[in-house]
Amino acid sequence: MVGASGFVGRTLCQVLLDRGYEVVAAARSARHLPPGVRHHSLGDLTGDVDWRGALRGVTHVVYLAARVHVMNDTHPDPLGAYRALNTDTPLALARAAAAAGVKRLVYLSSVKVNGEESGRPLTEQDPPAPTDPYGVSKWEAEQALLNLGVTTGLDVTVLRPPLVYGPGVRANFLQLITAVQRGVPLPLAAVRNCRSMVYVGNLADAIAFTLHSPVTAGKTFFVADGDDLSTPELIRGVAQALGRPPRLWPVPAWMLHAAGRLLRREGMVRRLTGSLQIDTRRLREAGWVPPFTTQAGLAATVAAHANLAPDWAPLGDGRPWALKPRQRAYLRVRHGLERPLAGALLLLLLPVLLLTALIIRLSSPGPVLFTQLRAGRGHQPYTIFKFRTMRLNAPQLSTEDMRLQGISAVTPVGAFLRRTSLDELPQLLNVLRGEMSFVGPRPALMTQHPVLNGRAAAGVDQLPPGITGLAQVTGRDDLSDDEKVRRDATYLRHVDLLTDLLIIRATLRSVLGGRGTY
């Protein structure tokens, strides 16, 4: 890997180490390399580099190093400076890699190959339109590397990311987080744009995917989270992760552009108000799925910047926990088995369900079922089903919030249903619909932002919510928000068949003992 000590490189090193790769970093210094990475010392990359030692025994090459985009560049030959590191060096490395028998080279390019703005989502088939020396150098490198791959047999894959964010991000994104954290009023409420972004954890996963995928050789791919945001939506997401209200003022776009011209910040205003969207369908059709949601990425980014990560934070660099391949395989198999099992249980328990519904109907006015929006996998809202245990028109609050406020809305029948956990049985419908699992994190309200943000930062939102779970059987409403997230994160790290069976056993003991799981 070239560029292993950089923003993307540090995350990618850890991802590859976790997946069993031996990683060799060709760099001047080993100072910023993660533990476990083997360092191969190199001098100035723009000079005459002998790559043979670095490539000895290497099967795959990732080139991340770049002279990044510089505002108001004062270099006497900007294009030449960009070409030296962004074009000439990776091409020389690719020639040496092909001669050394390397199988695959992944080159990290940029969406700037296609320009600065778009009126619609760009695809890989759109003609390149770089507007600055940085974009030109990346486009020239893409062409030269792909052509070299054709002539030498080296499998070359090019990735074009948009704005990359994550723990340790700098420049404009860091300034935005700082402004929101300090409560600075931002005159961007009236902006109506849409921009693609990619979380560094998703980008690292995509690079790892293209390293071994046979269908990505010789191709160029856009890569992004998939949730394009407007500037106001991004600010609200950052504010939510910080636990602060967004201070957005509506100012017409023409006034923002006039101010940009006056203050010589036209480029910054264009990026804040303009749209730049990419279509990642090609990479997804190749089989790649981003492991982290945008909300998870923002939460981890903000937590790392603001030192908000509590002791359940999953990794030292702030990245959410990524499921291991065996865990992903287990969850796929589990999901395939749960739906028919839920259908069978609904039929088996039909007499109990009908009798419970009749008792609820006769004992208090109101519907039999209680429905409410909850946060599902990726914090996507879904409607949860439960037997109604509260009086009609009870406040839409969590059980613990009502308890803290001294509100008692549970009916006598509802108390029995909760104590025996019979009120949870209709959630079998949610399992049948694929919205829940038998075991998983507790279904959180969409308004429980501390829990949702904590889960996103820890990566827990990769899992579907469960009828029961570790937090449910070990405290539930008696736990603080941080403790709930800590136990959810513990389950995420250890999710497998044995863990699920132990939780189900604990659930049955709790139910049969008359304690319920709340």
Side-chain angles (χ1 to χ4, degrees), residues 59 90 156 172 179 194 206 212 263 271 284 286 306 316 355 365 413 446 466:
T59 56
V156 175
N172 294 334
C194 209
H212 66 78
L263 300 173
R271 284 188 292 276
R284 292 171 189 253
L355 179 60
V413 170
M446 296 299 295

Side-chain angles (χ1 to χ4, degrees), residues 163 165 173 176 180 195 197 229-240 248 272 294 298:
L163 169 69
Y165 67 99
F173 205 97
L176 178 65
V180 175
R195 297 190 75 90
M197 304 187 302
L229 302 177
S230 67
T231 301
E233 288 172 337
L234 173 60
I235 292 170
R236 292 187 187 102
V238 170
Q240 179 179 318
L248 284 164
L272 288 171
T294 301
L298 288 176

Side-chain angles (χ1 to χ4, degrees), residues 23 40 48 56 173 219 226 228 249 401 432 434:
V23 181
H40 182 89
D48 187 12
R56 190 172 294 115
F173 205 97
K219 297 177 182 177
D228 298 342
W249 292 1
D401 286 340
L432 184 64

